[in-house]
Amino acid sequence: MDSSGEKVVAVIMVGGPTKGTRFRPLSFNTPKPLFPLAGQAMVHHPISACKKIPNLAQIFLIGFYEEREFALYVSSISNELKVPVRYLKEDKPHGSAGGIYYFRDLIMEDSPSHIFLLNCDVCCSFPLADMLEAHVRYGGMGTMLVIKVSAESANEFGELVADPITKELLHYTEKPETFVSDLINCGVYVFTPEVFNAIEDVSSHREGRANLRRISSFEALQSATRNLPTDFVRLDQDILSPLAGKKQLYTYETMDFWEQIKTPGMALKCSSLYLYQFRFTSSHLLASGDGIKNATIVGDVYIHPSAKVHPSAKIGPNVSLSANVRIGAGVRLISCIVLDDVEIKENAVVIHSIVGWKSTIGKWSHVQAEGDFNAKLGITILGEAVTVEDEVVVINSIVLPHKTLNVSVQEEIIL
């Protein structure tokens, strides 16, 4: 895209407290979008990617959380990145496309030529500037980020068929029962403002049907889709599917990593992906140490400046230590997220685990799991203020907040 001054805005959909139920017990304490991955809030990663878009005017976060839950974060990130970030609370669910339509006047106040739309619970390298360049070249209304996945996992996502030469979106179906394609929708888009006309057309069409039904006995035969509120518009079923093959939507394939962050297990995996990406984008955030003056660091590790780590500890790979964490002598940490104000005492071991805020792990204790990020008990999770006493072993378990463990547990959910 040229630098003629055409403005771009970005919208990040952050969902709400009713959405992140699979993220419990971690979402009891903090909105899922603010949960730290690689030491930074989940939503920080797409926000910092948006910052690199040429001529970015503003970033909007749209969701159902109370405004007070995002006020502090939005203020600090706006100051840090020197770009306006605003949180907009939906009054009721409007759908993935209806949400941006509801706030269209605010989104269009800078008269942007392009609008990025991202889902917060997507983990990828966010090649937004390259996407925008391709989108302008295609000349369509919208371009979506896509990736190739295994045929076995494709039906968990929106599958699509694209023209191999022109990259036009030819066919789109959300979570099909039979295999359609190994190309899937990554949940990252760039649109021209014409997208608002497409959304309005869906609403108007649905309103017309509603009026027809009032005078028709045919209503019993109508599908559930047609009973949706007129202002509830889904991006996938209502916009992408109908407009596929009409030279309006195109695809941009990423060859990099991509994951959805639906569960704590995937959060741990995505934290490691972001830590690895820091090598190329933010190497100053990665810790180093040789075990003499500082702890021995193996692989990609983030340590908050306020954390205190004993020089005899060995940390990594894929470890993130948050604010005011205290790590004792001889501690071994591998593949874990350790949240604010945690203390891990001498010679304890933590592997494939998330340790909740204000928790304590006693001397010679082991908190670990197999590291199957997709399994329910594939990682161990300690909720807020959990105490694991000395010489206790916790394996493949989830412990809810404010529990004390004085006996070892394996493959248990401690309520």
Side-chain angles (χ1 to χ4, degrees):
M1 185 176 170
D2 63 41
S3 54
S4 59
E6 288 188 327
K7 290 180 179 173
V8 177
V9 297
V11 177
I12 302 173
M13 307 302 283
V14 298
T18 56
K19 292 281 185 185
T21 53
R22 280 187 282 175
F23 212 69
R24 293 172 181 166
L26 301 173
S27 54
F28 288 154
N29 286 69
T30 188
K32 179 182 163 185
L34 300 184
F35 183 82
L37 306 179
Q40 299 177 326
M42 187 185 294
V43 72
H44 182 100
H45 299 280
I47 287 176
S48 57
C50 290
K51 166 70 176 168
K52 297 171 186 169
I53 302 169
N55 304 319
L56 180 73
Q58 223 170 151
I59 298 171
F60 298 93
L61 310 181
I62 296 179
F64 304 105
Y65 294 99
E66 293 301 325
E67 289 179 36
R68 58 183 163 72
E69 296 190 80
F70 275 82
L72 193 61
Y73 176 76
V74 162
S75 170
S76 66
I77 195 69
S78 297
N79 290 333
E80 181 187 330
L81 297 183
K82 305 290 185 286
V83 62
V85 179
R86 294 166 70 177
Y87 176 70
L88 305 174
K89 182 179 183 290
E90 289 188 74
D91 60 338
K92 64 175 184 175
H94 291 93
S96 45
I100 61 168
Y101 186 76
Y102 182 74
F103 291 112
R104 63 194 179 282
D105 292 342
L106 287 171
I107 292 168
M108 289 303 298
E109 67 185 3
D110 288 305
S111 302
S113 59
H114 295 90
I115 301 150
F116 272 92
L117 178 62
L118 301 85
N119 285 303
C120 171
D121 61 357
V122 161
C123 166
C124 67
S125 57
F126 297 106
L128 305 182
D130 293 341
M131 248 184 106
L132 181 57
E133 206 172 283
H135 170 71
V136 171
R137 197 167 60 246
Y138 298 151
M141 181 187 78
T143 298
M144 60 196 293
L145 190 68
V146 302
I147 192 169
K148 274 196 172 73
V149 297
S150 68
E152 298 78 44
S153 64
N155 67 348
E156 298 169 25
F157 310 101
E159 293 181 32
L160 56 102
V161 178
D163 186 300
I165 308 298
T166 67
K167 308 302 180 189
E168 185 195 350
L169 178 69
L170 300 176
H171 178 73
Y172 182 86
T173 180
E174 183 69 13
K175 297 179 182 174
E177 291 182 11
T178 55
F179 178 74
V180 173
S181 163
D182 59 358
L183 266 186
I184 65 162
N185 176 6
C186 290
V188 178
Y189 315 86
V190 57
F191 293 106
T192 61
E194 279 73 51
V195 70
F196 292 122
N197 298 334
I199 299 169
E200 188 172 5
D201 287 347
V202 173
S203 292
S204 302
H205 183 67
R206 201 172 280 157
E207 199 168 343
R209 281 189 174 278
N211 290 336
L212 268 175
R213 282 205 303 273
R214 290 191 190 103
I215 55 168
S216 170
S217 60
F218 195 56
E219 183 174 358
L221 299 177
Q222 303 297 308
S223 73
T225 304
R226 293 169 191 164
N227 292 325
L228 288 169
T230 56
D231 59 353
F232 187 92
V233 183
R234 302 156 303 178
L235 190 62
D236 37 27
Q237 293 103 317
D238 297 326
I239 304 294
L240 303 182
S241 293
L243 293 182
K246 295 183 177 176
K247 297 196 171 3
Q248 295 197 57
L249 300 174
Y250 291 81
T251 61
Y252 181 83
E253 185 177 351
T254 177
M255 302 299 175
D256 223 330
F257 64 92
W258 179 87
E259 296 288 351
Q260 266 190 316
I261 316 166
K262 296 296 186 188
T263 62
M266 289 311 299
L268 186 53
K269 180 179 183 179
C270 292
S271 186
S272 72
L273 290 170
Y274 281 137
L275 285 168
Y276 178 75
Q277 192 189 23
F278 283 171
R279 294 185 188 188
F280 313 103
T281 61
S282 311
S283 58
H284 64 283
L285 293 175
L286 293 173
S288 59
D290 56 8
I292 300 170
K293 287 186 176 178
N294 301 305
T296 301
I297 302 297
V298 181
D300 304 318
V301 172
Y302 169 82
I303 299 177
H304 190 276
S306 65
K308 292 182 171 53
V309 182
H310 194 277
S312 65
K314 190 172 182 181
I315 315 292
N318 303 330
V319 171
S320 172
L321 304 182
S322 297
N324 304 313
V325 165
R326 299 175 303 289
I327 305 297
V331 166
R332 184 70 178 103
L333 304 178
I334 300 172
S335 179
C336 57
I337 296 173
V338 181
L339 297 167
D340 296 356
D341 304 307
V342 164
E343 181 176 12
I344 302 178
K345 296 182 178 178
E346 298 94 288
N347 302 305
V349 175
V350 181
I351 303 173
H352 297 312
S353 300
I354 297 177
V355 183
W357 307 263
K358 303 184 180 71
S359 291
T360 303
I361 297 175
K363 300 173 187 176
W364 297 100
S365 288
H366 279 226
V367 174
Q368 62 190 74
E370 292 168 2
D372 180 347
F373 300 120
N374 293 306
K376 186 173 185 181
L377 296 177
I379 70 164
T380 287
I381 304 167
L382 305 185
E384 183 190 19
V386 167
T387 300
V388 177
E389 296 195 345
D390 295 352
E391 300 179 25
V392 168
V393 177
V394 183
I395 299 176
N396 294 350
S397 295
I398 297 173
V399 185
L400 266 63
H402 307 287
K403 302 295 177 189
T404 297
L405 295 184
N406 51 21
V407 294
S408 296
V409 294
Q410 181 168 353
E411 296 185 353
E412 287 193 40
I413 299 174
I414 310 295
L415 302 173

